[in-house]
Amino acid sequence: MKPSPRIMMFTWEFPPRIIGGISPHVYNLSKELAENGAEVYVITCDFPGAPAHEKVDDVEVFRVDSYKNPAPDFASWVYLMNMNMQKEAASIIRDLGGVDILHAHDWLVAAATIGLKHVFRKPLIATIHSTEVGRRGGIYSDYERMIHETEAWLTYEAWRLICCSNYMLIHVREFFNLPADKMVMIPNGVNTGEYDMYLKENLREFRNKFASSEEKIVLFVGRLVYEKGAQVLIRAAPKILEKVNARIIIVGNGYMKEQLLALAESMGVAHKVTFTGFLDEESLKKLQVCADVAVVPSLYEPFGIVALEAMAAKSPVVVSDTGGLSEIVEHDVTGVKIRPNDPESLAWGVTRILLDNGYADWIRENAYRKVKEAYNWSRIAQQTKEIYIKVLEEYSRTFWA
Amino acid sequence: MRIIIFSWEYPPRIVGRLAYYVSELATKLANSGLKMHVVTYHDSLIGDFEEASGVKVHRVTNPVKTHINLLTWTITLNQEIERITANIYYRENGQIDLIDVHEWQFIPAAVTIKRAFEIPFIYSIESIEDHRSGGANNPMNIAIKSIEQLGVLEADIIIVKSEWMKNEVKTIYGVSTGKIKVANLEERNGLKAILDVYRSLKGEGTQK
């Protein structure tokens, strides 16, 4: 076992390209791994203005031209992107004189990494962040089945599978019929340091841009898609506003945006709901610090990084009692758990925090401490590195080595 | 010389004429003393390996059964083509002289293999997407055309079957004619012309 294993990460998003949770995950994991003595290379999609090759915090990042090929639909684009990603990675690996581990993040990079595994005969590790079954609530079309089978293929080809919550681990194991010893749970993390500076800052002026000083801020951050549940929050708005003068701020974009606007209109709360669209990282973090309560009303949530972020920003959280959220939050200690897809329950949770400052502060401090202890990236990178070392030991006894 | 041919059809899987052409080519090359491997696809269980008339035929199936179009089907299948080709490469201690890819389907695998192992490849063109689709103007046809474009760009040599096709490939893909060779097994001295291309790529020069 070499002192510093060479890890090649594959991800379809990496900052500044941020679509969902994989981008910050891979960024933080790579950075901490590099600090823990691994050589880390990231292969990802290109992004306007981002260089094709750069070093970010000791991590070498390669951005592959992925929009050259037009495609009839998203999934076709993904497979074409895999083709481009793979051919560039093949050259890079050759130029580097090899890497020790290929690490894939989700089906979005399955094809590229599986081919490279066999060509270079190196172990492939995959982190399954979410599944098509979970995202869609079942498999109903050939399009979804293709993605589901691609996920199955990745789980078959991977040497080890990492899931970020026990909920996800059990789900992946059951849906793909996997042996238990192939799987490992390593949580997602959040960097509290990124929030600490804003916690010390006077943000009153910034806050005034979003809400009046009389209004409590109820914050939702996430893609505006069905499974993230912004619609549940809007349905709960009248009940919240009955008891508290609040401003509901919805950050993010997605196919449901028009529907959500119409819903807010029809519920008669449009004047109290602000849709900010996508926010830059600094504004988002500041807003998370300003929020009086952060709501994560997901119907499906493999992990729930946005809850951890709110906890790091010392904003009390109200989360659906589902998936990874159930594991992150301890009810009445580090947050409030509500029934998924239940506006009544959501309104109860939100007002419970907004009407009791002592309770809110208790939750705030407990949650912050918990995040710092259990979900820090340095610890997560250490756990991940241990998996790499274990896999490389197993690999060294095979005829591929 | 040790050669691997990539073709998405090979007897008993017959889609068009390509299957017959490639099997005749592989057999004749084997008879000429070349060590021939064919890597191909078959969707039923007819065996993953067969040796006939001196040609070693390796067959893979698609690891993903459900697909929404030819493009997604092709790209997942390419990973299996790469796996089998890598297996041959390691078994033969890296002694593969070139890969001859027939049509666009396995261009992605050929490009990756070339970049990983520095094995040159020939792109043998029977037809092109512009002709098949009457101008390649919907996203699907454009995507397939872009894979052909990749093949034209990355191939060390392109083989076409006629001067007319040579001109079409040159015009449509903007490639210099020096890279395009005309060689057709079905014409007089066709086998020799193909062998000459193989040898030129290996650096042996043209044999008299």
Side-chain angles (χ1 to χ4, degrees):
Chain A
M1 175 55 214
K2 291 191 205 78
S4 54
R6 291 164 300 173
I7 314 300
M8 189 169 266
M9 295 272 183
F10 292 80
T11 172
W12 83 309
E13 50 165 333
F14 189 86
R17 179 176 156 89
I18 300 168
I19 291 149
I22 299 177
S23 184
H25 176 101
V26 177
Y27 169 75
N28 284 298
L29 178 61
S30 303
K31 181 177 163 217
E32 288 292 334
L33 279 168
E35 278 173 22
N36 275 280
E39 268 180 50
V40 187
Y41 305 91
V42 173
I43 311 289
T44 190
C45 298
D46 55 352
F47 191 78
H53 180 203
E54 67 172 330
K55 205 149 188 177
V56 187
D57 304 317
D58 286 331
V59 175
E60 247 186 272
V61 182
F62 297 88
R63 294 189 179 85
V64 175
D65 186 347
S66 30
Y67 290 90
K68 203 188 280 165
N69 290 334
D73 54 75
F74 175 69
S76 301
W77 174 83
V78 169
Y79 288 103
L80 276 171
M81 179 271 281
N82 271 261
M83 177 186 85
N84 287 319
M85 190 175 257
Q86 184 182 68
K87 75 174 157 66
E88 296 309 325
S91 297
I92 294 162
I93 294 170
R94 181 158 187 101
D95 293 345
L96 288 170
V99 293
D100 299 312
I101 294 228
L102 304 164
H103 189 154
H105 292 266
D106 268 9
W107 76 276
L108 297 146
V109 294
T113 52
I114 290 167
L116 290 169
K117 164 194 159 178
H118 290 287
V119 167
F120 290 102
R121 294 196 159 174
K122 293 296 173 190
L124 170 62
I125 291 175
T127 302
I128 306 294
H129 294 266
S130 75
T131 65
E132 189 68 1
V133 174
R135 287 185 295 267
R136 309 273 184 168
I139 299 294
Y140 303 103
S141 67
D142 277 355
Y143 186 97
E144 293 163 13
R145 185 164 303 284
M146 174 180 76
I147 293 171
H148 175 69
E149 288 176 10
T150 302
E151 289 169 347
W153 182 35
L154 178 61
T155 64
Y156 174 81
E157 290 278 0
W159 199 295
R160 273 291 195 294
L161 292 162
I162 299 172
C163 292
C164 300
S165 65
N166 288 315
Y167 161 79
M168 197 56 191
L169 185 135
I170 290 162
H171 166 87
V172 169
R173 210 173 105 191
E174 283 180 356
F175 271 103
F176 301 111
N177 284 313
L178 296 161
D181 62 354
K182 190 171 179 165
M183 312 199 57
V184 57
M185 198 286 272
I186 302 177
N188 231 316
V190 69
N191 190 350
T192 50
E194 290 176 11
Y195 292 89
D196 288 347
M197 51 191 284
Y198 301 122
L199 283 165
K200 287 180 205 123
E201 211 176 306
N202 183 353
L203 296 174
R204 196 181 316 146
E205 210 172 302
F206 173 83
R207 191 189 193 280
N208 286 342
K209 286 193 280 187
F210 293 90
S212 75
S213 47
E214 294 81 46
E215 286 174 321
K216 300 275 192 184
I217 292 181
V218 179
L219 182 65
F220 169 95
V221 178
R223 284 176 296 124
L224 304 184
V225 297
Y226 179 75
E227 70 263 26
K228 293 296 176 190
Q231 67 279 11
V232 186
L233 174 58
I234 293 173
R235 287 212 170 86
K239 287 228 153 55
I240 296 169
L241 294 167
E242 245 172 52
K243 294 193 174 151
V244 196
N245 181 11
R247 161 118 342 234
I248 292 157
I249 301 177
I250 295 184
V251 181
N253 279 323
Y255 67 82
M256 273 189 79
K257 188 160 189 173
E258 294 304 313
Q259 254 170 287
L260 292 169
L261 283 165
L263 181 65
E265 199 69 53
S266 72
M267 302 289 296
V269 294
H271 63 294
K272 281 292 198 183
V273 181
T274 307
F275 288 85
T276 67
F278 189 81
L279 281 187
D280 65 86
E281 225 177 286
E282 190 188 329
S283 304
L284 174 60
K285 289 203 168 84
K286 284 182 177 173
L287 197 53
Q288 284 173 312
V289 168
C290 291
D292 295 288
V293 60
V295 183
V296 190
S298 307
L299 310 182
Y300 166 70
E301 193 59 79
F303 184 72
I305 190 75
V306 71
L308 281 192
E309 288 172 359
M311 288 156 85
K314 290 199 175 181
S315 158
V317 293
V318 171
V319 303
S320 296
D321 191 4
T322 185
L325 291 169
S326 298
E327 292 167 43
I328 292 173
V329 171
E330 192 183 341
H331 184 64
D332 265 354
V333 179
T334 56
V336 174
K337 284 184 185 175
I338 53 159
R339 285 193 296 271
N341 208 6
D342 184 342
E344 196 108 8
S345 180
L346 193 156
W348 168 82
V350 167
T351 50
R352 183 171 157 82
I353 283 176
L354 292 183
L355 294 174
D356 186 344
N357 287 335
Y359 180 74
D361 287 342
W362 152 258
I363 296 281
R364 221 191 288 278
E365 292 305 323
N366 289 340
Y368 183 77
R369 208 176 316 122
K370 173 80 183 185
V371 165
K372 229 175 162 143
E373 280 165 20
Y375 298 100
N376 77 76
W377 277 108
S378 159
R379 184 177 159 179
I380 293 157
Q382 196 52 46
Q383 289 171 294
T384 309
K385 199 183 166 192
E386 278 163 25
I387 299 301
Y388 292 155
I389 289 167
K390 213 178 277 179
V391 166
L392 285 171
E393 273 168 9
E394 291 166 10
Y395 168 83
S396 71
R397 293 192 290 272
T398 68
F399 78 95
W400 270 20
Chain B
M1 267 202 284
R2 186 173 285 114
I3 313 289
I4 305 178
I5 289 180
F6 287 177
S7 171
W8 82 312
E9 50 171 313
Y10 195 84
R13 178 180 147 82
I14 292 153
V15 181
R17 284 189 61 256
L18 185 64
Y20 299 110
Y21 186 89
V22 173
S23 77
E24 198 188 333
L25 175 66
T27 309
K28 284 187 170 164
L29 288 168
N31 290 341
S32 310
L34 275 62
K35 296 188 182 73
M36 295 305 302
H37 291 267
V38 172
V39 174
T40 188
Y41 159 78
H42 203 293
D43 51 9
S44 61
L45 299 169
I46 59 160
D48 60 347
F49 180 76
E50 169 192 35
E51 188 158 4
S53 316
V55 181
K56 293 184 165 77
V57 184
H58 310 258
R59 292 188 176 88
V60 295
T61 59
N62 203 315
V64 175
K65 299 298 173 202
T66 310
H67 279 282
I68 52 168
N69 60 44
L70 182 59
L71 198 65
T72 61
W73 181 87
T74 303
I75 290 172
T76 57
L77 181 57
N78 264 272
Q79 312 317 314
E80 278 291 282
I81 300 294
E82 287 170 23
R83 183 174 69 83
I84 290 301
T85 306
N87 285 350
I88 299 169
Y89 172 85
Y90 288 109
R91 205 178 299 130
E92 304 288 2
N93 295 312
Q95 300 303 305
I96 309 291
D97 293 292
L98 64 91
I99 293 173
D100 186 357
V101 189
H102 287 259
E103 298 295 71
W104 65 273
Q105 284 84 1
F106 300 149
I107 286 291
V111 172
T112 293
I113 293 289
K114 175 181 173 163
R115 289 175 172 219
F117 301 144
E118 288 177 358
I119 298 173
F121 80 88
I122 293 168
Y123 178 13
S124 292
I125 298 177
E126 165 87 30
S127 70
I128 53 177
E129 191 65 9
D130 263 33
H131 296 160
R132 288 189 299 265
S133 66
N137 38 30
N138 75 45
M140 189 62 197
N141 302 127
I142 297 169
I144 290 172
K145 185 180 174 180
S146 75
I147 296 178
E148 293 179 342
Q149 178 82 64
L150 175 69
V152 165
L153 188 75
E154 297 262 340
D156 297 87
I157 292 178
I158 298 155
I159 294 180
V160 295
K161 289 184 176 169
S162 66
E163 286 295 334
W164 171 77
M165 190 56 127
K166 178 176 176 174
N167 206 42
E168 287 291 288
V169 170
K170 177 195 153 216
T171 313
I172 292 169
Y173 293 108
V175 62
S176 76
T177 45
K179 196 172 169 176
I180 312 174
K181 307 291 176 199
V182 180
N184 187 348
L185 190 65
E186 286 152 349
E187 281 171 9
R188 234 180 111 232
N189 293 327
L191 182 67
K192 185 183 174 296
I194 291 169
L195 271 168
D196 284 347
V197 175
Y198 282 12
R199 290 198 181 102
S200 73
L201 199 51
K202 218 208 151 202
E204 285 181 2
T206 309
Q207 283 193 354
K208 288 276 142 55

